[in-house]
Every structure is written in structure tokens, then in C-alpha cells.
Amino acid sequence: EEVTTIGDQAFSGCSNLPFIAIPESVTNIGIGAFSECRSLASITIPSRVKSIANNTFDGCTSLTTINIPESVTNIGKWAFYNCSSLTAFKIPESVSKIEYRAFSGCYNLTDITIPEGVTGIESYAFSSCIKLTSIDIPKSVTSIGSEAFYACESLTTITIPENVTRIGSKAF
């Protein structure tokens, strides 16, 4: 029988696990499934997965490469929190909202691609991404939450489209 679900916190705390091959049969990855897998360096999400649940990769401090398919429509709260080795990330075009603290604490993140179609950037979504130098917010975004880019101290270029109707306190 094929594996279709990786349960909540299934591999949480496996701090010496450098790699895991997720079978293509997997359609669901639970909350915190790989949280605190501090040696995990690379992972590919199967094409049948629709959501990156809350805290999925929280604290994966060695994660440098993650391949997320266009089937993913949601990146949950705290999904990549403190993934401090992540340097670049391309959000799939199918995602419509960047959740609370999704990339907060990704200290080495220098390149983030937010696609057209994202309508909201929630509070603290990219807070403390201290090496992020520029951000190009697509025209589809209408709301930027409080402290969304707070403590992004290297930001020198921010492009905010005229469609944005709400910018929360301390957003930048």
C-alpha cells in the first residue's frame, strides 16, 4: 500500500536527518511534520501535495533547497520559520496568500519571488529576513500586514503597487 499522508510531527526533532525522499504518492503533509530537523538540507515536495501546513519546516536550520510544485495553493503559518540557511525561494503561482510568519527568521534569504496572484502578505511573513535587499510586491497584492517585513534591515528597494489598500503598522 502506498503512503499518502505524513502525519503531524512525524519527523519532528529528527535532528540528524540530512535528506528524506517523499514518495510521489503523498498528498498530505501534516502540521510540523519536519519541524526541528536541523540537518535536513534539501527536500522536494511531491506534485500531489496541495498545502504546506503550519510549522512544516519550522527550525530546519540547514535547509538550503526546497522544490515546491505548482499544486501547492497554501503555505501555512510558521511554515519556514527560522530556516536560516535558505537563501532563495520561489513561491508557486498557485499560492494566493503568504501566511503569518511563514518565512520569519530566514536570516540568509536574499531572493524571494512573490508571484502575481498573491493577494495578501500577512503579519510578520518575512520579518527578520535580515539579508533581503529588495522586494517586488506584485500588483495583485492588496494587503500587507503589520511587521510583514519588520527587521529586514538590508532592504534598499521596495516596490509597492497602487492596488495595495492596507499597510499594517511597522510593515517595513
Side-chain angles (χ1 to χ4, degrees):
E1 199 168 312
E2 292 184 327
V3 175
T4 58
T5 298
I6 296 174
D8 292 352
Q9 299 179 329
F11 295 92
S12 181
C14 290
S15 59
N16 293 314
L17 184 70
F19 174 78
I20 186 163
I22 302 174
E24 269 300 314
S25 57
V26 170
T27 58
N28 184 43
I29 299 173
I31 295 169
F34 301 100
S35 64
E36 302 298 328
C37 288
R38 294 196 171 118
S39 297
L40 186 64
S42 175
I43 198 157
T44 297
I45 304 297
S47 62
R48 295 168 66 190
V49 172
K50 303 263 188 271
S51 178
I52 305 297
N54 295 350
N55 302 86
T56 300
F57 298 101
D58 175 3
C60 292
T61 55
S62 296
L63 190 64
T64 58
T65 306
I66 182 152
N67 296 308
I68 297 185
E70 289 298 324
S71 60
V72 170
T73 58
N74 180 60
I75 294 176
K77 297 172 184 172
W78 306 80
F80 296 98
Y81 180 74
N82 278 346
C83 289
S84 55
S85 295
L86 200 60
T87 59
F89 195 91
K90 182 181 184 288
I91 296 170
E93 291 185 16
S94 48
V95 172
S96 62
K97 182 170 67 171
I98 301 167
E99 296 279 356
Y100 179 83
R101 288 199 187 270
F103 296 93
S104 181
C106 293
Y107 305 118
N108 287 302
L109 190 65
T110 58
D111 183 26
I112 186 78
T113 303
I114 301 173
E116 196 65 46
V118 168
T119 58
I121 300 172
E122 297 291 308
S123 297
Y124 300 95
F126 296 99
S127 65
S128 298
C129 292
I130 60 174
K131 291 191 177 176
L132 194 60
T133 58
S134 68
I135 190 77
D136 187 13
I137 298 170
K139 292 177 183 165
S140 55
V141 171
T142 58
S143 175
I144 300 170
S146 298
E147 303 189 37
F149 295 93
Y150 181 76
C152 293
E153 56 198 42
S154 297
L155 269 179
T156 57
T157 306
I158 304 165
T159 304
I160 301 172
E162 54 189 52
N163 293 352
V164 172
T165 57
R166 181 185 158 286
I167 297 176
S169 63
K170 298 182 183 178
F172 299 95

